[in-house]
């Protein structure tokens, strides 16, 4: 009788262990497959990347506007709407401005790339600034 009770107790313990092991595997698999989807709840870009993008876009847009104005002066000169002296004055004003904006644009683009790289761990974006 004692032997049969020990066998039944052993079988029950094995069933409990199997059940706990199965539940543990289900929880582990559930967590493993859920973790990658948690990124949905974090912003796509960190504050530093957004700030760098805004600064770059502002300078890049100013550069594009200056280039468009320069093109319009060239068109006006070619269509004889402005004389040579006015054209030279505008060229002397806009060429250094465009060069300066081009330099600033390159620096800010580099800063943007650095900010994006800084926010990555092993090639993936992080949520470190989303928590702050």
């Amino acid at each position: 009788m004692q032997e049969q009770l020990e066998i039944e107790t052993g079988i029950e313990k094995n069933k409990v262990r199997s059940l706990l092991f199965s539940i543990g595997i289900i929880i582990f698999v559930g967590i493993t497959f859920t973790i990658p989807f948690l990124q949905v709840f974090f912003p796509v870009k960190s504050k530093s990347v957004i700030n760098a993008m805004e600064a770059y876009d502002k300078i890049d847009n100013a550069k594009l506007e200056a280039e468009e104005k320069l093109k319009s002066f060239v068109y006006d000169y070619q269509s004889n709407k402005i004389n040579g002296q006015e054209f030279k004055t505008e060229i002397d004003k806009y060429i250094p401005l465009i060069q300066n904006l081009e330099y600033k644009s390159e620096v800010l683009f580099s800063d943007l790339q650095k900010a994006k790289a800084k926010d990555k761990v092993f090639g993936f974006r992080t949520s470190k600034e989303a928590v702050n």
Side-chain angles (χ1 to χ4, degrees):
M1 186 76 155
Q2 177 73 12
E3 200 174 284
Q4 187 177 3
L5 184 62
E6 287 177 9
I7 291 173
E8 288 176 7
T9 307
I11 291 173
E12 286 182 24
K13 284 182 181 179
N14 284 340
K15 285 182 182 179
V16 170
R17 284 184 188 155
S18 295
L19 180 65
L20 289 176
F21 183 73
S22 299
I23 290 173
I25 288 177
I26 290 171
I27 290 173
F28 175 76
V29 169
I31 289 172
T32 303
F33 285 112
T34 304
I35 287 175
F37 297 107
L38 291 177
Q39 68 179 336
V40 172
F41 300 108
F42 297 110
V44 175
K45 297 177 180 117
S46 68
K47 293 174 189 173
S48 62
V49 172
I50 291 172
N51 291 338
M53 284 179 73
E54 288 174 353
Y56 171 72
D57 287 343
K58 182 179 177 184
I59 292 297
D60 197 50
N61 289 337
K63 180 185 71 141
L64 292 174
E65 287 176 17
E67 288 173 348
E68 287 300 316
K69 286 183 182 180
L70 185 62
K71 287 178 187 177
S72 71
F73 288 124
V74 170
Y75 177 76
D76 288 346
Y77 177 70
Q78 289 175 341
S79 61
N80 293 324
K81 292 182 181 177
I82 59 173
N83 62 30
Q85 184 59 34
E86 289 173 318
F87 179 67
K88 183 178 179 337
T89 303
E90 295 302 328
I91 291 287
D92 290 344
K93 183 170 81 172
Y94 277 97
I95 294 291
L97 174 65
I98 291 171
Q99 289 174 339
N100 186 25
L101 290 172
E102 179 69 31
Y103 174 74
K104 286 181 182 178
S105 176
E106 289 173 4
V107 169
L108 289 174
F109 184 75
S110 174
D111 292 345
L112 173 62
Q113 297 302 335
K114 288 176 187 173
K116 285 181 179 180
K118 183 180 174 185
D119 285 347
K120 291 187 177 184
V121 175
F122 301 116
F124 298 98
R125 67 180 174 83
T126 65
S127 59
K128 64 184 171 191
E129 288 198 23
V131 176
N132 292 340

